[in-house]
Amino acid sequence: VINIMANFFKKDDRKEKFEFKSKKIKDDLEKIYENESGELDMEHLEKNPKGRLRAFFSTLFSCLFLVIVFFMVGWLIFNRPESEQKNNPESKIQKSVVLTVDYPTQIHSGDEVVYKIKYKNQDKVKMTKLQLLVSYPSGFIFEDSSVKPNNEYKNVFLLSDLKPFEEKETRISGRLIGKEKEIKALLLSLSYEPANFSSEFQELATANITIDKAIIELSLDGKKQIIPQKDFDYLVNIKNSSEKDIKKLRLVLIYPNIFKIKKTDPEFTENIKIEDIPFESEYKVWYLENLKPKEERKIKISGIFEGEILRDLNLDAKVELGDEKEDYGVIAESFLDLKSLQKNVVLKLIVNGSEEPKSVNFGDNLSYSLIYENKGEEDLKKVKLKAIVKAFQGEKEVDIIDWDNIKDENKGIKKDGEILWTGNEILKLNSFSSKEEGQVDFFLPLKKMDEINSILEPGQGNVLIKSWAEMSIDELGDEKIEMKVKSNEISIPINTNLEFKAEARYFNDDNIAVGSGPVPPKVGQTTHYRIFWKIKNTLHKIKNLTVRAKIEGRAKWSNKKNVENGELNFNPQSKEVVWTIPELEPNSEFIESDFEINITPEKEDVNKILILLGKSTLKAEDEETKTNIISTFKPLTTDIETDPTMSGRGLVEE
């Protein structure tokens, strides 16, 4: 190919080839643009389909020619001596370099281990720039190597070149420390470059050694079932099970922060900094000097669990061995799982069907359910249940609960805001079996506002009802424990006491006429009545208060009104009267609005009581409890029941 291209471009032939090519181009153009009369027509191109076909094949052959040229050049550049092939059905190419490692699969913790690292060149090209990178397992203490390490961490080794088909070996030795049954993994990475190639290649290998026996035997003993506010003792035993002295040992005890250590024997070492301590845990450290073969050391820890224990916990004892740099690694570890009895006793309080009930009103009934369950494996004996219900205004306890009208089928003992149930009232509390549950229901009414007017003080804070339950357990199985479990606490806000009255009057409270016309009402004659709306807000500030009612039947708006606070308006289209107050502070007195309605009966109304004003509806928002308050009052009629002077005289007469 190269010769053909060279001959084509020889200088001696350039002129002749140029003239030949020019003539050929001219002939081709004439064929393409020649019209039927033999003249050249440059406006039309599709005169010679054979010329187009020839051009297509010419281009195709040119492209194929270039592809062949590039393929041959690439083959010459990138071809290098082939490796020997394995004699298998798939004829896979062998690796240029093979990396292997010989090692013991099991050792005792602390024993010496030797890694024999072998690397072989399986190619007929020399391998250069060999570098071995070693990732040691945790607990490996480096001692020696046949090739000097190239860094301070002693994990990088620069190796000599490998001749074709040459094999070499390097050794790394040290001590391997770990816990029994722990697997220690060594990772190797060998990088190299073939002599005839500028790219780097890499081979990997691993070595996994299992620790079959620790040089230290470690045990942690003590009570596994724990309860709050009770003393517990734990004992750590450490033994050298090897035939050699062990130096630079230390014990690390990791324990939950609710366990308060009172005393240790021997004393622990102060001000030792250890990283990676679990959240909500604390630790103590004891340094152990030379531990002789078969020698044992004991460490006693005494303490108490403070506060609630709502989950299982554990104690973690670790024996660590230090090296010449004072770096410590774990060689033995023992856990003690601590089971929370308190977690296994479920005590839940529900009020009005919820653990987060909404606000209530004075005079409401509170429905309580006390649910208890033993999730543990042992029976609970001599159990007592207690429900505590107290009401507060601010910090002051107030008596707004009607204890005299409590409903309790189990007839618990009532005293000072508490109800107590024992095995005398509920038989199963004498021995509450494993996996058993129970429930106590009772109903507690709140006093009405008119019963406690003298107790509550407007503007002196929110009124809350706080409720919770307690369970006391004297025995677990056959063991005395004296444990208490507390339920969730529920705080129920009480809405402001918003009193609302609607009255139709002919005479006011001072017996002064505020109406006019005949009473009872007469056919064809007009009687005027006065409607009063009264509101008293006792506890909290309220917002967006509205009172509305519709004038019914023959009644008409007289366009006479008075209002102390807010606005009072009448809508002629809807015949609705609306009183609006944007904000209303707590007050011990009623505020009023009033307006006049008149009615003129007709003959068909005789002996009937006529409706003056439909149902009155009050709506407002309690700013403290964020609760919408709705109150209604029945329709008002010509019978004017709330007027003591004219009440009962509402039948229309002729």
Side-chain angles (χ1 to χ4, degrees):
V1 173
I2 295 173
N3 290 336
I4 293 173
M5 294 175 68
N7 292 334
F8 183 78
F9 288 106
K10 284 183 179 178
K11 290 184 178 180
D12 295 341
D13 296 338
R14 281 183 178 177
K15 183 175 180 181
E16 180 180 349
K17 290 182 181 296
F18 176 78
E19 292 176 353
F20 172 79
K21 190 173 182 180
S22 299
K23 183 176 183 307
K24 187 175 184 307
I25 291 173
K26 182 178 179 182
D27 293 339
D28 290 339
L29 288 172
E30 288 178 353
K31 290 179 181 180
I32 294 172
Y33 295 106
E34 187 178 55
N35 59 22
E36 295 179 358
S37 61
E39 297 177 351
L40 291 178
D41 183 1
M42 301 297 289
E43 297 179 358
H44 298 85
L45 294 178
E46 299 182 2
K47 287 295 182 180
N48 198 338
K50 291 183 179 180
R52 287 192 298 162
L53 187 61
R54 187 183 301 120
F56 169 77
F57 283 110
S58 176
T59 302
L60 178 62
F61 290 139
S62 298
C63 292
L64 291 174
F65 176 77
L66 290 174
V67 169
I68 293 171
V69 170
F70 283 125
F71 175 81
M72 293 176 66
V73 172
W75 184 84
L76 288 172
I77 291 174
F78 294 103
N79 186 47
R80 63 186 181 92
E82 295 180 338
S83 299
E84 297 178 3
Q85 296 183 352
K86 292 182 179 179
N87 187 19
N88 59 43
E90 297 181 358
S91 297
K92 291 185 178 178
I93 298 176
Q94 286 185 338
K95 295 179 180 179
S96 295
V97 173
V98 174
L99 177 67
T100 59
V101 55
D102 290 340
Y103 58 93
T105 57
Q106 289 187 337
I107 64 167
H108 293 352
S109 176
D111 284 352
E112 183 184 41
V113 59
V114 178
Y115 296 100
K116 298 177 182 180
I117 302 163
K118 299 178 181 180
Y119 45 103
K120 180 181 179 181
N121 182 359
Q122 298 192 126
D123 211 329
K124 53 189 176 183
V125 176
K126 183 173 72 172
M127 301 300 165
T128 65
K129 299 181 181 180
L130 278 78
Q131 178 176 285
L132 179 66
L133 177 63
V134 184
S135 177
Y136 297 113
S138 62
F140 179 78
I141 301 173
F142 179 90
E143 291 182 342
D144 195 15
S145 62
S146 59
V147 176
K148 184 179 179 180
N150 199 52
N151 67 339
E152 61 176 316
Y153 301 108
K154 301 178 182 179
N155 66 339
V156 176
F157 302 85
L158 300 181
L159 307 177
S160 59
D161 294 348
L162 273 178
K163 297 176 183 179
F165 306 111
E166 183 181 13
E167 182 177 5
K168 291 185 178 181
E169 178 182 296
T170 186
R171 296 189 178 197
I172 298 174
S173 61
R175 283 188 301 149
L176 190 55
I177 299 169
K179 295 177 289 186
E180 190 173 342
K181 306 303 180 183
E182 186 177 8
I183 297 175
K184 299 288 187 176
L186 178 87
L187 305 178
L188 300 172
S189 172
L190 178 65
S191 61
Y192 62 92
E193 286 187 12
N196 65 341
F197 210 65
S198 59
S199 293
E200 181 181 277
F201 294 85
Q202 188 180 61
E203 285 298 320
L204 304 175
T206 61
N208 296 325
I209 297 178
T210 301
I211 305 296
D212 62 356
K213 186 178 181 182
I215 58 174
I216 290 292
E217 294 179 14
L218 175 66
S219 63
L220 176 58
D221 299 306
K223 191 74 174 178
K224 293 183 178 181
Q225 190 143 270
I226 56 175
I227 60 177
Q229 308 305 320
K230 186 175 181 180
D231 291 331
F232 288 87
D233 293 330
Y234 295 98
L235 184 66
V236 181
N237 189 65
I238 304 163
K239 180 181 178 181
N240 180 359
S241 60
S242 72
E243 302 300 327
K244 299 178 182 179
D245 289 0
I246 304 177
K247 300 179 180 180
K248 292 187 178 180
L249 281 178
R250 72 182 186 186
L251 170 71
V252 179
L253 179 71
I254 301 172
Y255 56 93
N257 58 8
I258 64 171
F259 181 64
K260 304 305 177 183
I261 292 179
K262 293 182 175 182
K263 182 182 178 181
T264 68
D265 183 20
E267 286 292 326
F268 55 86
T269 306
E270 300 279 1
N271 303 320
I272 304 300
K273 181 67 174 178
I274 295 181
E275 304 293 339
D276 302 325
I277 298 300
F279 179 66
E280 294 185 341
S281 296
E282 296 181 10
Y283 64 92
K284 293 289 184 288
V285 179
W286 290 261
Y287 281 94
L288 309 173
E289 298 302 328
N290 186 39
L291 197 63
K292 298 181 180 298
K294 310 305 178 182
E295 183 183 356
E296 292 186 41
R297 300 275 180 89
K298 297 182 185 294
I299 297 175
K300 184 177 180 181
I301 301 102
S302 300
I304 187 172
F305 289 93
E306 295 183 347
E308 294 185 319
I309 309 174
L310 301 179
R311 59 187 176 89
D312 291 341
L313 305 170
N314 64 66
L315 295 179
D316 181 8
K318 299 180 181 181
V319 172
E320 299 178 340
L321 181 64
D323 58 17
E324 67 276 4
K325 293 184 178 180
E326 300 297 325
D327 290 331
Y328 283 84
V330 177
I331 61 172
E333 188 170 12
S334 180
F335 290 93
L336 189 63
D337 293 326
L338 306 177
K339 301 296 182 182
S340 168
L341 175 59
Q342 192 173 16
K343 184 200 75 169
N344 289 329
V345 178
V346 176
L347 186 62
K348 183 166 61 176
L349 186 65
I350 294 175
V351 182
N352 292 344
S354 173
E355 292 182 58
E356 297 180 359
K358 297 179 180 179
S359 58
V360 296
N361 298 311
F362 290 101
D364 284 355
N365 279 307
L366 303 181
S367 172
Y368 283 84
S369 293
L370 180 55
I371 300 168
Y372 53 100
E373 182 179 0
N374 178 10
K375 289 186 174 182
E377 301 298 327
E378 298 185 67
D379 294 352
L380 306 178
K381 297 180 180 179
K382 297 183 180 179
V383 177
K384 297 176 184 177
L385 286 175
K386 183 190 294 184
I388 301 97
V389 183
K390 296 183 180 293
F392 299 86
Q393 183 178 26
E395 299 296 325
K396 178 185 175 183
E397 187 173 348
V398 290
D399 180 19
I400 64 171
I401 300 168
D402 188 359
W403 288 98
D404 293 333
N405 291 303
I406 184 175
K407 294 180 180 179
D408 173 21
E409 292 182 356
N410 295 294
K411 302 186 184 305
I413 303 167
K414 298 178 292 182
K415 183 181 179 181
D416 299 330
E418 299 178 354
I419 312 172
L420 176 66
W421 299 272
T422 68
N424 295 326
E425 290 76 39
I426 302 174
L427 187 60
K428 70 167 60 177
L429 296 181
N430 287 317
S431 181
F432 187 35
S433 302
S434 171
K435 311 304 180 184
E436 188 177 4
E437 63 178 39
Q439 180 170 324
V440 177
D441 297 321
F442 61 97
F443 300 88
L444 202 55
L446 301 180
K447 294 179 180 179
K448 295 180 180 178
M449 191 62 193
D450 55 6
E451 300 177 75
I452 53 176
N453 274 329
S454 60
I455 297 175
L456 301 179
E457 300 178 25
Q460 296 303 306
N462 297 343
V463 178
L464 290 175
I465 300 172
K466 295 184 179 181
S467 308
W468 67 95
E470 294 177 356
M471 174 188 284
S472 62
I473 305 166
D474 288 350
E475 296 179 10
L476 175 66
D478 297 326
E479 181 184 359
K480 290 188 176 297
I481 58 171
E482 297 181 358
M483 186 185 76
K484 286 187 177 181
V485 178
K486 184 179 177 182
S487 77
N488 55 308
E489 183 173 313
I490 296 177
S491 291
I492 308 173
I494 299 184
N495 297 322
T496 186
N497 189 64
L498 194 59
E499 293 186 63
F500 172 55
K501 297 178 181 179
E503 299 178 342
R505 304 289 291 265
Y506 195 90
F507 290 94
N508 65 13
D509 291 338
D510 297 324
N511 208 27
I512 298 173
V514 292
S516 61
V519 176
K522 296 185 180 295
V523 174
Q525 297 183 43
T526 301
T527 302
H528 298 263
Y529 298 90
R530 203 74 179 180
I531 307 298
F532 291 88
W533 279 338
K534 299 179 181 182
I535 299 171
K536 183 168 72 172
N537 178 31
T538 306
L539 293 176
H540 310 146
K541 182 179 179 180
I542 58 174
K543 301 189 301 182
N544 304 321
L545 185 147
T546 62
V547 181
R548 61 179 69 238
K550 187 176 181 181
I551 296 176
E552 302 283 358
R554 303 194 190 281
K556 296 180 180 179
W557 173 258
S558 296
N559 203 26
K560 293 180 180 181
K561 63 179 182 178
N562 293 297
V563 62
E564 292 182 14
N565 193 331
E567 294 183 357
L568 184 70
N569 296 298
F570 173 69
N571 186 327
Q573 282 73 37
S574 63
K575 298 184 69 177
E576 192 174 50
V577 184
V578 180
W579 184 17
T580 59
I581 302 175
E583 293 182 348
L584 185 60
E585 297 288 345
N587 201 303
S588 59
E589 302 294 332
F590 280 97
I591 62 169
E592 295 184 359
S593 68
D594 64 83
F595 52 93
E596 186 179 274
I597 289 177
N598 65 77
I599 191 166
T600 306
E602 297 184 3
K603 286 186 178 182
E604 57 266 31
D605 299 326
V606 174
N607 292 325
K608 293 181 180 178
I609 294 175
L610 304 181
I611 296 176
L612 301 174
L613 188 70
K615 180 175 66 174
S616 298
T617 302
L618 178 148
K619 292 183 180 180
E621 179 186 347
D622 189 316
E623 190 173 63
E624 294 294 334
T625 65
K626 309 302 180 186
T627 302
N628 291 325
I629 300 171
I630 299 176
S631 181
T632 60
F633 204 92
K634 65 182 180 179
L636 303 177
T637 68
T638 54
D639 203 34
I640 51 176
E641 297 174 3
T642 53
D643 188 329
T645 305
M646 306 297 286
S647 176
R649 301 171 63 184
L651 290 174
V652 177
E653 297 179 350
E654 290 188 11

